Each structure stands twice: as structure tokens, then as C-alpha cells.
Amino acid sequence: MSKLLIKNGTIVNSNDTYVSDILVENGKIVKIDKDISISDCDVIDATGKHVLPGLIDLHVHLREPGLEYKEDIESGSKAAVHGGFTGIACMPNTKPVCDNAVTVGYIVNRAKEVGLCKVYPIGAATKGLDGAELAEIGKMKKLGAVAVSDDGKPVATGQMTRLVMEYAADFSIKLHAHCEDKSLSGDGVVNEGKYSTFVGLKGIPNVSETAGVVREIAIAENFNKEVHICHVSTKESVDAIRQAKARGVKVTAETCPHYFTLTDEAIVNFDTSTKVNPPLRAESDRLAIIEGLRDGTIDAIATDHAPHHVDDKRVEYAYAAFGITGLETSFALSYTKLVKENGFTMSKLVKLMSENPAKIINVDGGKIEVGECADLAIVDLGADWVVDKTKFYSKGKNTPFDGMKVSGQVFATVFGGKIVYKEDKIYG
Ligand code: DOR
Ligand code: ZN
Ligand code: ZN
């Protein structure tokens, strides 16, 4: 019988914060109390540290099968636990596309073999992400898919979006929508605004995203179906989601740390690690995203962890791949920007990074209580550190945050009652 005792940490749930010990047996939290003393078990001294429910990321790209030169399930799982994540939902734009039950089953099994964290596959909404034919939504759900998405692009047409929403609902899952009107994006590579003009790169206007968000909301509303909006980056999208929620539309939304940390000013030196879709936006958008998180319009922080090989990024800006690697910087950026600089509470952060993500994909987790699975992130809020991409476990070093000073560091990650990461070491 394996036991783990976490001593004296500040436990953070979305509704309370208190200092206590946590006793874990056989992967479950069996006791939460002051001064638990027990012999013959592993002990983590969490004095001065905060113990959070394991973080859950609704949006990562693990690239396996087929694109393992960018990332694989093992390297992505290591990056996840280094970042305090115990559950990650991975997008289907792999090679082949994850649009069938066999591929979903493969991902689930491979992740179990690696055994560092839960990996929740998101199946393709349409076969080959082509928008022409529905994917095997029911069969994929049976094998463990938690949602469907054509991420990388929107579901091609309104009619197909309607069918995906209706079909997914029949299996109690929903569409995670990459919202974009591709005709408005054209061959844009950065936000359309003063910086795109200044550097001479083609722009992607805000309405490219917002038109997609409004379409998804209108379809969900008309047919009374659920939809989850991926990687919100614009003020107008936040406004549209806020108004939809007020009308009772069943919409949830995520944003990513890069949208509340950086603006398109970061593109001026042509660093391709700033190239991401949707693009980094203006300061007014960044501020609207923070307000959207604050008032609950945006439910969750996801990373859109999009690792790329150096060869995909070390080219002229216009030709570089879109994407930012995010798992190993998400907690610190969120803590630094939202809690330290904008007055969010740690409980609110737990809601955004664990409780709400768990609810959106209907999986366990999100709270520290007796009987819950022992998936935990132990963090040191007093630690200031400098992001160093060479220390990432992810194969993707494509981060615009390299060299940035941040606060809040993951000290240890516990998955199913086992220490899987502690003080710079992974325990497989
Ligand atoms: O920046 C992005 N990278 N946006 C996407 O929609 C896809 C993703 C990827 O797969 O690299
Ligand atoms: Zn996307
Ligand atoms: Zn994505």
C-alpha cells in the first residue's frame, strides 16, 4: 500500500484556502487534517508552499502520432508535469489526423504507458479535419475522447458546425471551436494594426476571430447546443461571449497566457517565436482578456501548447509555423500577470486552471477533498526565476518568454498519489 504525506502546505480550492496536511493512500486523498503523523511513508514538506489541485490544460498539441520530431506523448507529458499539469487534452491535428477510435485508443494507451499524467484526446470533428464529413464521434468518445475539434482551422461551414454540435451532444461531449474566418485572415501572419504596418508583415484583423466566435455562438444558440471557444484573443470576442452568456447560451471559453502577457509589439524584432494563431493582439485586447477572466466571461486558461522544431521556426517570419510552446511557463505567467499584477486570488487561479477545465471536459479533478484522486501541484509563490527554454522538457523551444523574469514556480507534481516531478527531476 503506497502512502504519501504532504506536510503543512497551504491548500487552495476555488472556495477556500487553509493550512493543513494531506494524507494520500493508493492514489486517493484519505485525510486532510493538521498534524497528521504516520510512519513508513513518503513525505513532502510543503511548509511555505501552496498545494493546488493538479492543473488541467484543455488545449495542447502533443504531435504524436506522426510529428514526433516536434513533440511526442512522453516529452509532452514530461513538460506537463514540469508545469504542474496532471491532465492535458490534446488536439487531433496529428499525422494521421486523430479522427477515429483507433488513434484515440492509441493515444490513451501510450499516455498510460508513459504514466506521468492523464492525457485526454480531443477527436477531430470532421474526417481529416476537412470539414466535409463527420468523424466517428461516438466511437471516439467510447475510447476516451473528451471533446471534438478541427483545431488549426474552424469547422469549414455553418451547416457542418451544426451537425458537429448536434452529434457531439448525443454523446455528451462538445465542440471546442477554433474560431476564424479564413477568408479574413488571408495570408496574414501577425495582428493587423500599427505594428503590422510598421514592420511590413500582412495582418490578421480582430474580426477574423470574432466573426468565427459569433458564428459559433449563433449556431449553438439557435439549436440549443453547447460550444467551447478556444484561445480567445480579441476584445470583441470577449464582448460577444459575455453577451451570449447573459442570454443563456451554453458557451464556455478559454484564453492563453500569451494573450494576457504580450501584445503585438513583441513582433517588432521579427522573432518567429511570437508567431501564433490567433496572433498576439493590441494592448486594449490584452486588457479586455484580463477583464473577461476576472468577470467569468472566460472560464479557463489553456496553453495551446504548440511545439515546433527549430527548422519550422528559424525561417523568415512569413514562412514560420504558427505556435507557442506553453506547458512549462503557463503557471508562472498566470500567477505573475493575474495574481501579482492584477489582484486575482489563488482560488480564482485554481478555478481557471483546474476546476473549470475539469468541468468543461467532464473529468475528475479540480478540487482537494477527501475521496478525490491525489492529483496535485505544489507551488512556491515566493520563487522568482528566469524562463530558460533550454531547461524545457518539451521538444519545442519556441517560446517568446525565454529570458523573462517571472514569479511562482512549480515545486512538485503528484499524479495518482505518486510524485512524478519534484525539484527539477521527473520520476517516471
Ligand atoms: O498557433 C497555432 N498553432 N495555432 C493553431 O491553431 C494550431 C497550432 C499548431 O498546431 O501548431
Ligand atoms: Zn486553434
Ligand atoms: Zn491549438
Side-chain angles (χ1 to χ4, degrees):
M1 198 162 63
S2 68
K3 288 185 194 172
L4 173 67
L5 180 59
I6 301 165
K7 292 289 296 175
N8 217 20
T10 302
I11 295 169
V12 187
N13 278 313
S14 68
N15 55 358
D16 56 0
T17 302
Y18 57 98
V19 176
S20 197
D21 297 348
I22 301 173
L23 181 64
V24 173
E25 267 180 40
N26 294 326
K28 295 250 184 252
I29 298 172
V30 294
K31 193 171 179 187
I32 300 176
D33 211 344
K34 298 231 177 207
D35 303 318
I36 301 175
S37 71
I38 186 161
S39 56
D40 187 28
C41 74
D42 289 338
V43 177
I44 298 178
D45 180 6
T47 307
K49 304 202 167 54
H50 286 66
V51 186
L52 321 181
L55 307 181
I56 297 173
D57 192 341
L58 292 173
H59 192 146
V60 308
H61 295 269
L62 291 181
R63 309 300 193 199
E64 184 176 349
L67 299 164
E68 291 85 355
Y69 69 101
K70 293 177 191 267
E71 189 80 293
D72 59 36
I73 291 168
E74 182 174 4
S75 60
S77 296
K78 286 180 177 171
V81 298
H82 185 211
F85 292 92
T86 55
I88 52 179
C90 61
M91 284 296 181
N93 61 340
T94 48
K95 250 184 172 169
V97 169
C98 180
D99 59 4
N100 59 81
V102 173
T103 309
V104 169
Y106 168 77
I107 292 168
V108 169
N109 287 336
R110 178 66 195 129
K112 274 191 191 146
E113 260 169 36
V114 172
L116 290 170
C117 64
K118 286 252 177 63
V119 175
Y120 302 111
I122 295 177
T126 67
K127 284 190 183 157
L129 308 173
D130 281 344
E133 227 183 306
L134 283 175
E136 300 176 344
I137 296 177
K139 287 184 185 163
M140 291 193 293
K141 151 84 196 217
K142 235 184 203 157
L143 273 277
V146 295
V148 289
S149 180
D150 279 355
D151 187 50
K153 47 187 176 179
V155 175
T157 64
Q159 167 61 5
M160 185 54 74
T161 303
R162 172 192 179 171
L163 289 179
V164 170
M165 285 185 194
E166 290 180 334
Y167 219 73
D170 286 343
F171 300 100
S172 309
I173 58 176
K174 59 191 164 232
L175 171 65
H176 286 211
H178 169 116
C179 298
E180 180 177 9
D181 182 323
K182 287 278 184 191
S183 71
L184 285 163
S185 300
D187 46 9
V189 292
V190 294
N191 183 45
E192 182 173 308
K194 76 174 176 195
Y195 290 103
S196 62
T197 308
F198 179 63
V199 300
L201 289 171
K202 282 195 181 151
I204 301 172
N206 277 27
V207 68
S208 170
E209 170 181 304
T210 309
V213 169
V214 168
R215 182 189 80 168
E216 278 6 27
I217 287 171
I219 296 171
E221 184 167 21
N222 195 115
F223 301 106
N224 192 27
K225 292 289 175 281
E226 292 180 296
V227 67
H228 175 74
I229 309 291
C230 293
H231 44 54
V232 172
S233 75
T234 74
K235 176 180 186 307
E236 296 79 10
S237 298
V238 177
D239 290 342
I241 296 163
R242 184 179 290 118
Q243 288 162 17
K245 284 189 168 186
R247 295 197 301 276
V249 182
K250 296 173 189 158
V251 58
T252 54
E254 69 187 36
T255 189
C256 314
H258 38 273
Y259 300 120
F260 58 74
T261 305
L262 295 177
T263 66
D264 55 354
E265 191 181 353
I267 68 167
V268 295
N269 55 8
F270 297 95
D271 175 358
T272 60
S273 74
T274 63
K275 183 173 173 181
V276 63
N277 186 29
L280 300 174
R281 301 287 188 183
E283 178 65 4
S284 50
D285 296 297
R286 191 184 76 83
L287 295 174
I289 297 283
I290 293 173
E291 288 321 300
L293 287 162
R294 198 192 300 278
D295 74 7
T297 300
I298 302 177
D299 303 85
I301 297 168
T303 61
D304 199 1
H305 177 78
H308 287 293
H309 192 272
V310 62
D311 290 351
D312 301 323
K313 283 288 198 179
R314 203 190 286 152
V315 291
E316 289 150 277
Y317 203 97
Y319 299 107
F322 286 101
I324 290 176
T325 184
L327 283 166
E328 292 162 274
T329 49
S330 183
F331 175 74
L333 292 171
S334 302
Y335 175 68
T336 305
K337 286 287 149 184
L338 300 179
V339 178
K340 276 191 89 170
E341 292 180 17
N342 279 283
F344 286 38
T345 63
M346 281 305 293
S347 282
K348 174 74 173 176
L349 201 60
V350 160
K351 202 172 201 168
L352 292 167
M353 298 190 78
S354 183
E355 187 183 81
N356 285 349
K359 281 187 187 156
I360 288 166
I361 52 171
N362 196 20
V363 298
D364 290 341
K367 50 183 180 287
I368 300 178
E369 269 171 22
V370 170
E372 286 288 315
C373 196
D375 293 348
L376 305 163
I378 304 173
V379 297
D380 182 352
L381 301 184
D384 296 332
W385 57 289
V386 175
V387 177
D388 177 357
K389 65 183 179 186
T390 66
K391 300 226 168 91
F392 285 179
Y393 286 90
S394 172
K395 292 183 192 178
K397 312 298 177 193
N398 47 303
T399 175
F401 301 111
D402 193 42
M404 185 173 163
K405 253 192 93 174
V406 290
S407 301
Q409 193 163 42
V410 177
F411 170 76
T413 305
V414 173
F415 171 61
K418 265 181 44 194
I419 299 170
V420 285
Y421 169 78
K422 187 163 174 269
E423 293 175 283
D424 292 329
K425 282 208 184 71
I426 303 266
Y427 298 90

